[in-house]
Structure formats: structure tokens, C-alpha cells
Amino acid sequence: MVVPLGHVESQVSAGVVQFVGAGLLTVSSAIFAVYALRNRQLDRLESQRPFWRYLTLLGVAGTTHGLTVMLGAAVHARSLVALSHAALLFATVFLAFAMRELYYNSALAPPPGDRDVSLARLRRIETGFVGVILVELVVVLLIDQGAVAALVKGAGSLAFATYGVVFAERLESLTRGTPVDTLRRHLVPVLVCTGLLGVADLATLFGVGHVVARSVQSVFVVMVGAFLLTASIRLQQNVHGLSTPE
């Protein structure tokens, strides 16, 4: 069977864009993790530590996803695919947890008795989120069913991103005009793009070509990397503020 030259060129171009986008995500996520960790070390408020920890883990997960995508462009291995999927899902869920943590630690948040959903119940829901990621790992590593893996990854990404966006929107009225609100505005696009990135694999199930699907994924990867860079600038400014003696 003769493969058309144009098709080969499209695959090569898509691979190059994917590699470059993954490189951008790797660098921006690593920078983000460093500044998030620095904020955690300098922030004297004990209640803020879980928030900074989740942001640091977001950076680590984003770096891992970027590296595995770059390696996967050179070496095709099921373990790399599984780690890549899990890292993306963890990046989304860590950012969602950070939004939840920030909301419940806000001074203006509703008291425990007035909450629609108790924190204990939310913890159980979040445990289910982690279970979805483990299912994704098993599907990719053991079963090797692309369609099932894409469905689990897509559904999980959407659920995690929606969960985080709900808390981010609730935070708007509680943190308006504060430095935290500025950071929140930078992180909401990251949530949305990571959610859509996880759904991009589903395009192939609806007849979209593999090359087109990879190109769409690359666009979202670049967007996540760019948004993380702008958020890193805000984290850097916060580090300077925390480091400056009063």
C-alpha cells in the first residue's frame, strides 16, 4: 500500500508541532512549580499551604505530561501513553482541588452549617476522581483499548475541569480586587484548556482524522503552556511581595 506523500508530510508537521507544544508545556509547568513551591515556603498563613501544595503538584504533573509527550514522539510505548494520560488528569484535578481549597479557606466562605455540600462529602467525590485516574491507567496499561481510554480520559477531564471552574466562579465574589483574584483569573483558562485537551482524543471516535486530532491537541497544549507562563509571572510577583519586609 502506497502512502500519499502529502499524508506523510501532514503527519510529520503534526508531530513537530506536538513536540514543540509539549516542550513549551514542560518548561512553563516547571517554572510554575518552582514559584508555587516558593510561595508555599514564604506564605506564613497555615491555611494557605494546601492551596500552594496543590499548585506545586499541578506544575509537577504538567511537567510530567509534557516530558512523556516529547518522549512519545520518539519512542512509542504503552507505558508512556498511560503516564501521559494520568499526568494530564492529575494536573486538572490538582488545579480543581486548589480552587476548592481556596474557596473553603476564604474568610467570606459560608460556615460549615450553611454549605450546600459538606466538605466530607466533597472529599469522597474527590477520592472518586482519583479512582477515575487509576482506571485510566489500568485501561491503557493492561487492556490497551483506545476507545475506552479516550472515553475515560475525556469524561474525567470534563468532570475535573467543571468541578474546579464551579469553585473558581464562586471565588470571584469572595476575592474580587485581591491578588488571589488575579491569580484565579489566570488559572481558570488553564482549567478550561486542560479539560478540553482531555476531550480532544474523542474526536477520532467521531470520524475526525488522527492528524487533525493531534493538531487540535497541540493547540490546547500550547495554550495551557502559555497560560501557565502568565500565571507564573503572577506567582513570581507574589514571591517578591512575600519576600519584602513589612
Side-chain angles (χ1 to χ4, degrees), residues 115-161:
R115 294 171 183 171
D116 297 332
V117 183
S118 67
L119 188 57
R121 186 173 182 181
L122 285 177
R123 298 287 190 189
R124 289 194 293 270
I125 294 173
E126 292 171 359
T127 301
F129 288 170
V130 176
V132 170
I133 299 175
L134 295 178
V135 169
E136 172 73 10
L137 274 172
V138 171
V139 169
V140 177
L141 281 175
L142 302 180
I143 304 176
D144 192 23
Q145 291 290 329
V148 177
L151 285 171
V152 174
K153 179 183 174 185
S157 296
L158 274 182
F160 304 160

Side-chain angles (χ1 to χ4, degrees), residues 7-111:
H7 180 71
V8 174
E9 292 176 347
S10 297
Q11 286 186 322
V12 171
S13 298
V16 171
V17 173
Q18 185 181 44
F19 185 86
V20 173
L24 171 63
L25 178 61
T26 301
V27 173
S28 61
S29 296
I31 294 172
F32 184 89
V34 169
Y35 281 117
L37 179 60
R38 190 65 180 141
N39 272 274
R40 184 177 185 273
Q41 293 170 340
L42 293 173
D43 199 331
R44 297 177 182 178
L45 295 176
E46 190 67 29
S47 60
Q48 293 281 52
R49 289 185 176 274
F51 171 69
W52 296 121
R53 182 177 68 247
Y54 282 130
L55 291 189
T56 303
L57 291 172
L58 159 65
V60 173
T63 303
T64 303
H65 178 69
L67 286 173
T68 52
V69 172
M70 292 174 69
L71 290 173
V75 180
H76 181 71
R78 193 185 303 176
S79 58
L80 285 176
V81 175
L83 185 57
S84 173
H85 287 194
L88 175 62
L89 290 172
F90 271 122
T92 311
V93 85
F94 286 145
L95 183 48
F97 289 176
M99 292 295 103
R100 185 264 302 154
E101 195 70 39
L102 191 60
Y103 173 76
Y104 279 116
N105 284 325
S106 172
L108 299 177

Side-chain angles (χ1 to χ4, degrees), residues 92-93 96 156-166 190-196:
T92 311
V93 85
S157 296
L158 274 182
F160 304 160
T162 302
Y163 182 81
V165 168
V166 168
V190 177
L191 260 177
V192 174
C193 288
T194 53
L196 294 176

